[in-house]
Amino acid sequence: MKTTRRNLLRYGGATAATLGTTGLAGCAGVLGATQAGTVKVSSARFPESILLSYMAIESLRANTDLTVLDETALGGTPMNFRAVNSGEVSMFWLYTGGGWTTIPPIKDRVIADPGKLYTAVKRQMKREHGLAFLRRAPFNNTYILIASSEWAKRTGVKTMSDFAKYVSNGNTGFGVVMGPQFQSRPDGWPGLVEHYGFADAASSLNVRNVGNSLTYQVIGRGGADVGVGFSTNPNIRKFDLATIDDDEGFFPAYNPAPLVNGEAIEANPEMRKPLNQIGPTLTTDKIMRLNGRVSLQNEDPQRVARDYLQSEGLL
């Protein structure tokens, strides 16, 4: 039986609400975040989030007279949200799926359409928190099942519905790898197999835990056939992996957009145009290439951000 994930989102939201009340250890000072002439830009600690925030920093420095302070790699989404909401920093890039499923008030429904999800999150941020949610990027960095190209070709599995049918038919003698958190969280593997109707058959699969960053390498080098990854990770291309389409939209879209403190944008309205210009230029192909420069080639994310903005005519 399919599930609407009402309880899954409720559990996930409750966890995030708890996390969101924790302290902001490591946040360097709070002065100037909402005053005229100064803005602070923060980010999560994974490469794509840092890269996006450096795009904001470089664009604001080049296109305004603002003093822009670097607070990248502050912490997870709850910590960054709390910092923006309290005015301790001015902005960070919030992903729509994360905003909808992890930030209170807790939501009971899933919005499959990316545009409608963005509109709902934007409305929520304004109404509940007084925050501005600016223009989003079209790329979607969400969870995705990945597989070796050879396995996908041999089995003919292209979608999650195909995968569910394949496993339900007794084909469970292949290796699956994923992070321990995804394997246990209700809106991860347990919810996915329930939604697609193969929870019983999935219990016979050989599932192993590996670090998120190692999943691609393990599959690419023959250590497993299927795993869970993120759709904009450059290792998908590096290891020539196939992706399995979430054809029923279990996972919400994760389109990033600048989330800005309301007082900060009122005090510094010149922020809006440079920030709004960035997101719409970022396709999946572009962000995977940029992520590759940072994660695979070890280039400085600030330089990569600057190069990209220059190539798009935004600096």
Side-chain angles (χ1 to χ4, degrees), residues 5 100 109-117 140 248-253:
R5 296 191 291 150
W100 187 248
R109 63 192 176 98
V110 175
I111 301 177
D113 181 84
K116 292 180 180 179
L117 176 61
N140 178 20
E248 294 185 4
F250 174 78
F251 297 115

Side-chain angles (χ1 to χ4, degrees), residues 80-82 84-85 89-94 103 121-122 125-126 129 131-134 256-262 271 275:
N80 278 279
F81 173 77
R82 182 173 179 270
V84 171
N85 197 33
V89 300
S90 308
M91 67 144 292
F92 86 112
W93 289 77
L94 174 69
I103 294 176
V121 174
K122 181 176 182 177
M125 292 300 145
K126 179 65 175 178
H129 308 288
L131 306 177
F133 199 41
L134 304 185
L259 183 69
V260 188
N261 177 275
M271 295 173 64
L275 293 177

Side-chain angles (χ1 to χ4, degrees), residues 117-199:
L117 176 61
Y118 166 76
T119 299
V121 174
K122 181 176 182 177
R123 184 184 303 116
Q124 171 193 321
M125 292 300 145
K126 179 65 175 178
R127 182 176 60 229
E128 302 290 340
H129 308 288
L131 306 177
F133 199 41
L134 304 185
R135 294 183 69 186
R136 66 186 171 104
F139 76 80
N140 178 20
N141 185 6
T142 190
Y143 285 111
I144 193 169
L145 256 64
I146 53 179
S148 71
S149 296
E150 189 277 332
W151 183 91
K153 183 177 181 179
R154 185 177 71 252
T155 63
V157 169
K158 295 181 180 180
T159 68
M160 274 303 305
S161 294
D162 294 339
F163 186 79
K165 183 178 180 180
Y166 182 77
V167 175
S168 295
N169 285 339
N171 300 295
T172 58
F174 60 94
V176 181
V177 289
M178 65 187 69
Q181 183 182 25
F182 184 87
Q183 187 179 2
S184 61
R185 56 188 284 180
D187 58 342
W189 183 249
L192 184 69
V193 299
E194 181 183 350
H195 177 85
Y196 279 97
F198 67 108

